[in-house]
């Protein structure tokens, strides 16, 4: 494997880690109106339980996106330039949504006022739904191919990105992340919050199997390769297993299989893409590939050494964080909401 192939694989790994970890963060935010329902005091307590499940880890999970974007810029600058200029509007919407979500998580507990918290809760929900949908739209378009001219510029419009395959990709990521988040909440919470999360996870699992199944099958038939059919089977089996496991209330194994389903789907997308990084629908000769979009061999070599040294440290630290905050959280762990700061909510 050459350095170009290696960094293509590493970028795929980074995005896989991001979607697995940030996927349940998005799911928690998406499901707050459903699992955080009730009268003011009850709803606030339940929503604080939901936020406490991701409180120690959500910002660390976002680092995977920053690292993936940095690696994309350094290893494949032509890919980065064409992607971020051509997909400027959807990526800007994702960025704005992530900023709103960050502010909402940090600020909702700053003032002890129900109206204040409800408004920030809306920001958490919107800031979770928008990226959950648009990431699927973006990656589906990357695999499908877009209008790239001979100067490596995207010449299609915004609405060209809203094709049926891409919209199905958006629906798939939204449903999978919602299911992933519901299973995560069932794994991390207790009492009535866990019971409701288990029920919701089972209800979400069936439509998710249908929509995601159509998407991965379409991907394989239209853009896949021979070996990627294995990934379609893995994703399908994993999602079907989630249906059974949520019914049996085996949320630990259900979370394992939602993780497998997400990972298999992302690897399917990258595997279908290779050796291209952004196919052109205008002319195959104008497609961006790992060869014509990459940095110099020296740059890739320096990056490889840096990644080999730093990556194990980051993985060990993040794994330790999850271990420390592994306990379940219940409503009786949440103190009365008077003058609490976000830091107190996370404790």
């Amino acid at each position: 494997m050459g350095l170009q192939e290696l960094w293509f694989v590493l970028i795929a790994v980074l995005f896989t880690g991001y979607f697995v970890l940030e996927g349940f963060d998005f799911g928690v935010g998406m499901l707050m109106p459903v699992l955080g329902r009730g009268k003011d005091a009850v709803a606030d307590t339940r929503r604080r339980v939901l936020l406490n499940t991701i409180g120690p880890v959500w910002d660390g999970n976002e680092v995977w996106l920053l690292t993936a974007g940095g690696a994309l810029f350094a290893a494949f600058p032509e890919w980065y330039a064409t992607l971020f200029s051509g997909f400027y509007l959807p990526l800007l919407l994702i960025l704005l949504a992530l900023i709103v979500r960050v502010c909402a998580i940090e600020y909702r507990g700053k003032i002890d006022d129900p109206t204040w918290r409800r408004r920030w809760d809306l920001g958490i929900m919107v800031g979770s739904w928008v990226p959950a949908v648009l990431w699927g739209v973006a990656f589906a378009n990357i695999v499908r191919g877009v209008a790239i001219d001979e100067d490596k510029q995207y010449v299609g419009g915004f609405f060209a990105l809203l094709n049926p395959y891409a919209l199905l990709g958006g629906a798939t990521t939204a449903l999978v992340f919602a299911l992933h988040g519901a299973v995560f909440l069932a794994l991390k919470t207790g009492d009535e919050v866990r019971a409701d999360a288990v029920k919701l996870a089972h209800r979400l699992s069936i439509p998710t199997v249908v929509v995601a199944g159509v998407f991965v099958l379409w991907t394989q038939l239209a853009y896949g390769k021979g070996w990627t059919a294995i990934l379609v089977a893995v994703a399908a089996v994993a999602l079907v297993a989630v249906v059974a496991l949520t019914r049996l209330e085996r949320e630990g194994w259900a979370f394992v299989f939602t993780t497998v389903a997400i990972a298999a789907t992302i690897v399917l997308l990258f595997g279908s893409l290779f050796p291209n990084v952004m196919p052109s629908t205008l002319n195959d000769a104008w497609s961006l590939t790992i060869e014509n979009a990459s940095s110099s061999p020296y740059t890739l070599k320096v990056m490889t050494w840096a990644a080999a040294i730093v990556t194990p440290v980051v993985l060990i630290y993040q794994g330790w964080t999850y271990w420390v905050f592994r306990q379940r959280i219940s409503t009786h762990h949440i103190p009365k909401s008077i003058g609490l700061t976000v830091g107190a909510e996370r404790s």
Side-chain angles (χ1 to χ4, degrees):
M1 180 183 294
L3 290 178
Q4 294 166 332
E5 290 83 359
L6 173 64
W7 275 98
F8 181 87
V9 171
L10 290 177
I11 289 171
V13 170
L14 289 170
F15 274 109
T16 300
Y18 172 69
F19 288 129
V20 167
L21 297 176
E22 190 77 331
F24 65 72
D25 289 345
F26 289 148
V28 170
M30 294 160 70
L31 300 176
M32 277 189 66
V34 180
L35 295 177
R37 65 186 183 278
K39 294 182 179 180
D40 284 346
V42 173
D44 182 58
T45 300
R46 290 174 65 101
R47 292 181 181 194
R48 289 168 64 197
V49 168
L50 304 184
L51 288 177
N52 270 273
T53 62
I54 63 172
V57 298
W58 67 267
D59 44 0
N61 294 341
E62 287 191 339
V63 172
W64 286 78
L65 176 61
L66 299 176
T67 307
L72 191 65
F73 171 77
F76 299 100
E78 296 288 353
W79 184 9
Y80 181 94
T82 303
L83 175 64
F84 278 75
S85 60
F87 289 27
Y88 181 81
L89 183 54
L91 292 178
L92 176 62
L93 291 175
I94 290 174
L95 177 61
L96 292 175
L98 292 176
I99 292 173
V100 168
R101 190 181 69 129
V102 168
C103 293
I105 293 174
E106 293 290 346
Y107 290 153
R108 82 173 299 275
K110 294 295 185 181
I111 297 178
D112 185 25
D113 177 68
T115 302
W116 169 273
R117 288 193 291 267
R118 281 196 298 270
R119 288 172 179 171
W120 286 119
D121 288 343
L122 178 62
I124 294 173
M125 183 188 70
V126 173
S128 300
W129 272 100
V130 171
V133 173
L134 291 183
W135 276 126
V137 172
F139 270 86
N141 274 297
I142 292 172
V143 173
R144 174 182 176 269
V146 291
I148 299 175
D149 65 13
E150 57 185 335
D151 296 320
K152 301 179 182 178
Q153 297 294 319
Y154 173 66
V155 294
F158 171 73
F159 291 102
L161 301 176
L162 304 181
N163 53 80
Y165 176 70
L167 293 176
L168 181 61
T172 298
T173 50
L175 280 171
V176 170
F177 290 162
L179 174 61
H180 196 42
V183 172
F184 174 77
L185 288 171
L187 180 63
K188 284 289 294 178
T189 59
D191 56 45
E192 68 274 8
V193 179
R194 174 190 174 274
D196 291 344
V198 170
K199 292 177 184 177
L200 182 58
H202 184 64
R203 291 170 186 164
L204 286 170
S205 63
I206 297 175
T208 302
V209 168
V210 175
V211 174
V214 174
F215 177 70
V216 296
L217 185 60
W218 188 342
T219 301
Q220 175 61 28
L221 294 177
Y223 314 107
K225 300 175 175 62
W227 67 271
T228 57
I230 299 173
L231 298 169
V232 175
V234 170
V237 170
L239 287 174
V240 171
V242 173
V243 177
L245 290 166
T246 52
R247 185 178 182 85
L248 296 172
E249 299 188 11
R250 299 294 298 274
E251 59 267 23
W253 280 108
F255 185 75
V256 170
F257 280 104
T258 55
T259 298
V260 169
I262 293 173
T265 302
I266 301 304
V267 175
L268 168 65
L269 294 176
F270 275 91
S272 301
L273 187 61
F274 184 84
N276 293 319
V277 293
M278 284 193 76
S280 173
T281 56
L282 302 179
N283 189 326
D284 288 341
W286 298 342
S287 296
L288 298 181
T289 67
I290 61 171
E291 286 84 12
N292 64 21
S294 71
S295 294
S296 66
Y298 179 77
T299 300
L300 296 178
K301 186 180 295 184
V302 171
M303 290 174 58
T304 302
W305 279 107
I309 296 170
V310 176
T311 302
V313 178
V314 175
L315 292 177
I316 291 171
Y317 174 77
Q318 190 162 29
W320 176 79
T321 302
Y322 276 94
W323 175 255
V324 170
F325 295 99
R326 66 189 182 278
Q327 294 86 0
R328 290 181 183 266
I329 302 170
S330 302
T331 52
H332 67 268
H333 292 127
I334 304 299
K336 188 177 180 180
S337 180
I338 297 179
L340 282 175
T341 64
V342 172
E345 285 184 353
R346 289 179 177 174
S347 61

